[in-house]
Amino acid sequence: MNTGTSQSLFNRAQQSIPGGVNSPVRAFKSVGGTPIFMQKAKGAYLYDADGNRYIDFIASWGPMILGHAYGPVVEAIREKAYDSTSFGAPTELEIEMAELIISMAPHVDLIRMVSSGTEACMSAIRLARGFTGKNKFIKFEGHYHGHADSFLVKAGSGVATFNIQTVPGVTSGVSNDTLTAPYNDLEAVNKLIAENKAEIAAIIVEPVAGNMGCVLPQPGFLEGLRQLCDQEGIVLIFDEVMTGFRLAPGGAQERLGIRADLVTYGKVIGGGMPVGAFGGRREIMEMVAPLGGVYQAGTLSGNPIAMIAGKTLLEGLKNNPSIYKELDEKTVYLKEGLEKVLTEWGNPFVINQLGSMISVHFSDKPVSSFNDAAEANNELFKKFFHAMLNKGIYLPPSPYESWFLNNALTYEDLDETIQATKASLAEL
Ligand code: KE4
């Protein structure tokens, strides 16, 4: 596959952008090689600067759940832009968006819009601290909640991809209040609570983890967190930036039947535009400025273009709930096809999947924590990634990422992906 233009664009990009990218995970650092510069996309297909076509399993890291350039979203943005792209004043559209989210997501009484998942998670932690008067919080190894200082402790996604142990610039003053435990290890959480009695404001968790590959909650784990938080007066925060509106209209709270006190959103909620949000129990949310003292703000929060994009996509999902069944069935079809060719290949592998989130690990044991994901044969993943890329299959360029299916994928696309996997495995 000729990707000469990407190579020259990457050389040029590095003259003006750190590492040539505006987000580290795009740089292909963990798999090597040159990042592919995309020019356009439609439905399930990406087209790079050389005109090569790829079947897309990143979906912009989640947002493109109905495929790229989804007609209603494109038209809605085009129309709204004529009314100005920002006011910095309240609009009816923001009320409609908030009401739509509250109609879809369980246990959300009030919701505040922001411009990224990082902002949503950062604000949720500040709010939990303000509500409880306590400073510490628990996160899980390999979970990624954005790049706010307090989260960059044993984080997943790009932090794990680059094996960054301590992030320069994050002070011990900040990281000392961040406690970490292995995902799915309730005993470790119990121990942290006992060691930090009455000092823990929140537990923040990716209910289905997507930043160390896709890693599922073990039966009883989330239920155990809910019980501990009720017992100890700790705020349970579901980081649903990935799972929100993807696993079900009501996200993981609906799909898994667990109530969170606060929930954060991003990705799908913006339809590809910069949007995040945090929401939850009224008594907690009422502490957010200007109602309460927990300050949080944003020039472009609730921006009309971002709102119309997100609202149009969410309406597309809400009004066609069969999409979730279609996406689940497509992902199970892909999983079964991959299982078949990987089994024929004859070397150890694990596939984790829930809903339209899936990941392949070259591991000889189950992957239910960051350590498990790290101990897989990730050198082999690098080779697999490039073999697939050369066949026009665009996977996340890291073993520490979930794949995301979009509903524009056809069964022919999935068959092509399965066949490409078979051929790629033969090259390893
Ligand atoms: P953003 O600030 O990137 O919008 O959201 C941060 C975030 C928060 N919570 C979860 C569960 C997330 O997955 C993310 C962001 N995900 C990464 C992909 N693993 C975004 C891709 C990137 O960093 O470029």
Side-chain angles (χ1 to χ4, degrees), residues 23 25-26 61 116-119 121 144-147 157 206 210-211 239 241-242 267 401:
S23 197
V25 287
R26 303 175 190 171
W61 303 96
S116 70
T118 295
E119 267 192 278
C121 294
Y144 178 72
H145 306 293
H147 65 90
S157 185
E206 292 182 48
N211 286 291
D239 175 350
V241 168
M242 278 185 172
K267 299 179 192 283
E401 298 289 354

Side-chain angles (χ1 to χ4, degrees), residues 27 75 86 91 99 180 211 250 263 342 372 381:
E75 285 319 306
S86 183
T91 62
E99 290 170 345
T180 60
N211 286 291
V263 60
L342 280 155
D372 296 340
F381 179 86

Side-chain angles (χ1 to χ4, degrees), residues 24-338:
V25 287
R26 303 175 190 171
F28 277 24
K29 273 271 183 281
S30 96
V31 292
T34 299
I36 302 296
F37 279 63
M38 296 302 169
Q39 195 155 60
K40 63 178 181 177
K42 179 67 182 159
Y45 310 126
L46 297 160
Y47 298 88
D48 74 11
D50 288 289
N52 301 307
R53 190 199 83 163
Y54 303 86
I55 299 176
D56 182 17
F57 287 95
I58 298 186
S60 178
W61 303 96
M64 298 302 168
I65 190 168
L66 295 184
H68 289 279
Y70 173 60
V73 167
V74 174
E75 285 319 306
I77 291 171
R78 183 206 296 264
E79 222 173 282
K80 183 56 70 178
Y82 289 111
D83 298 340
S84 178
T85 51
S86 183
F87 306 104
T91 62
E92 183 179 7
L93 181 54
E94 290 164 87
I95 307 170
E96 292 167 350
M97 179 67 162
E99 290 170 345
L100 175 59
I101 292 168
I102 289 168
S103 75
M104 294 174 78
H107 316 305
V108 175
D109 301 328
L110 293 173
I111 187 127
R112 166 63 61 87
M113 306 309 298
V114 295
S115 298
S116 70
T118 295
E119 267 192 278
C121 294
M122 174 178 82
S123 308
I125 289 291
R126 182 184 309 142
L127 177 56
R129 286 170 163 161
F131 178 69
T132 60
K134 300 185 274 187
N135 296 340
K136 296 183 176 179
F137 75 92
I138 295 173
K139 73 174 286 291
F140 294 92
E141 293 162 17
H143 286 211
Y144 178 72
H145 306 293
H147 65 90
D149 285 5
S150 58
F151 296 134
L152 295 178
V153 178
K154 296 186 184 177
S157 185
V159 183
T161 294
F162 296 100
N163 192 23
I164 299 170
Q165 295 309 312
T166 51
V167 176
V170 176
T171 66
S172 54
V174 167
S175 54
N176 284 347
D177 284 332
T178 303
L179 308 174
T180 60
Y183 186 45
N184 282 315
D185 185 342
L186 215 44
E187 208 31 59
V189 177
N190 265 305
K191 189 163 176 288
L192 284 175
I193 290 175
E195 292 164 352
N196 299 274
K197 207 68 188 153
E199 291 184 78
I200 298 173
I203 295 177
I204 186 168
V205 63
E206 292 182 48
V208 174
N211 286 291
M212 40 185 170
C214 173
V215 179
L216 309 187
Q218 300 281 291
F221 177 67
L222 295 175
E223 296 80 352
L225 293 184
R226 177 68 273 168
Q227 199 178 1
L228 280 170
C229 287
D230 290 339
Q231 273 166 225
E232 303 287 335
I234 294 172
V235 174
L236 180 58
I237 303 171
F238 270 13
D239 175 350
E240 293 221 45
V241 168
M242 278 185 172
T243 57
F245 310 99
R246 173 169 281 280
L247 294 186
Q253 287 194 94
E254 176 186 330
R255 181 111 189 205
L256 304 175
I258 312 266
R259 176 180 59 79
D261 299 307
L262 292 177
V263 60
T264 60
Y265 296 120
K267 299 179 192 283
V268 169
I269 197 177
M273 298 302 289
V275 179
F278 62 100
R281 276 171 45 200
R282 181 175 298 279
E283 60 178 329
I284 304 177
M285 289 300 292
E286 286 181 340
M287 291 206 66
V288 178
L291 213 45
V294 178
Y295 195 72
Q296 180 279 327
T299 304
L300 298 175
S301 297
N303 168 277
I305 306 302
M307 290 298 96
I308 200 67
K311 177 169 169 285
T312 306
L313 183 59
L314 292 188
E315 283 166 347
L317 294 167
K318 180 177 181 180
N319 300 336
N320 306 284
S322 63
I323 286 170
Y324 290 98
K325 184 166 173 291
E326 290 165 32
L327 264 174
D328 281 15
E329 287 170 353
K330 288 177 181 176
T331 312
V332 168
Y333 181 87
L334 175 66
K335 178 183 177 186
E336 289 172 352
L338 294 177

